[in-house]
Structure formats: C-alpha cells, structure tokens
Amino acid sequence: MSTDHSHKPALAATRVLAEWAAALRYEDLPPEVVAKARTCVLDTIGVCLFGSTLASVQKLAALVAEEKCAGESAVFGLPLRTSAANAALINASSAHSFQLDEIHIEATLHPGATAVPVALAVAEATGGVSGRDLITALVAGYEVGLRIGIAAKGGMFARVEILVGVHRQVLQIPIDAVNRLENVQYVY
C-alpha cells in the first residue's frame, strides 16, 4: 500500500498562511495598507449600494426576507436586516452583480466582494469589534484570498466554472469568510 504525500507542501503552506493571518495585529500594518483597506471598504459599500438596485439582488433579498431570520446584520441599500450569513450573501451578491467591484488580475479574484460584506456582517452581528480589528481582519482576508488565487493561477477557478458551472468567486467566499470570522473572533 502506497501513501501519497504530494499534498504535504500545500498543507505546510496553508498552515503558514493561517498562522500569519491569525497572528496579524493592527500595529503590524503599514499606514498605506490601512489607508488602502479603508478605501476598499468604501469602494465595496459603494458598489453594494448600486448592486442593491438591480432586480437580481432584489429577488435574492425578497427570498431571504421570507425566511424572517434574526435581524443581526444590515443589507446595504435595502430596508432589510437579517442573519449575518444572509446579509453577507446579499451584500456580496450586490458587490459583484454589475462587475464594478475591484479585481486582482493575477489572482483572478474580486477580493472586496468576498471580504468586505462578510467582515462587516460578522462584526455587526457579534458586536464590540473595533475599527482596528475589522481593518486587521480585512487585510488578513485580502492577503489570504489573493495568495490562494495567485497560487492557483486562475486554473482552479476556471476548471470549476467549466466543469460544474459555478462562478469562481463562490469558491473564494467561504475561504475568505472563515478567515475573517476567525480573525474577528480572535480578538476576544
């Protein structure tokens, strides 16, 4: 019986990246990175507000509203509060719905659409998350998401889209969401 150890380098890299993200502190961030993160938050909220006016997003919001989930997080641009997961879903859909969100070409990723809605929804739902902690979590999430996208060279996303018809951003949202959730809750 042979054992395949080909996954070990990937696991080691994943561990290093996860440990870095978990250990990142606001004080570690250069001022220009903090300024860029703030700009990314504002940009993403702006595209969410536009996206919320589109019929596809409004249909998704109506579907979520029917679930009558706890109103712990806001949906941008619509009079709806819902669970953090549903708010993140609608806001991420809004951010990416018209392709106005920023893109990192090499990573083949729209990091703001996957990072900002999740981080804001979780921060609002859990409460007590400082702006510094939120920025730190976002920077860690952007870095993790972009490094995964760069390492995959777009290939992982392209194959999935061709084989199963799933838009590549859907793969990144859970990865970013888990990272952000872990970072925001790490501060407690």
Side-chain angles (χ1 to χ4, degrees), residues 146-154:
L146 292 174
R147 286 184 181 264
I148 291 169
I150 290 168
K153 298 180 180 164

Side-chain angles (χ1 to χ4, degrees), residues 84-100:
N86 281 333
L89 171 67
I90 296 169
N91 291 333
S93 297
S94 293
H96 192 58
S97 63
F98 201 68
Q99 300 287 328
L100 288 174

Side-chain angles (χ1 to χ4, degrees), residues 1 5 15 21 25 52-53 72 75-76 83 98 109 125 129 145 148 167:
M1 174 158 101
H5 295 286
R15 179 175 298 281
R25 298 174 315 128
S52 72
T53 67
E72 58 191 13
V75 174
F76 304 133
S83 67
F98 201 68
L109 180 66
V129 177
I148 291 169
H167 188 54

Side-chain angles (χ1 to χ4, degrees), residues 20-22 24 29 135-145 179-180 183:
W20 171 84
L24 186 64
L29 303 175
I135 292 293
T136 305
L138 281 168
V139 168
Y142 264 72
E143 190 71 20
V144 168
N179 183 60
R180 228 85 65 236
N183 258 314

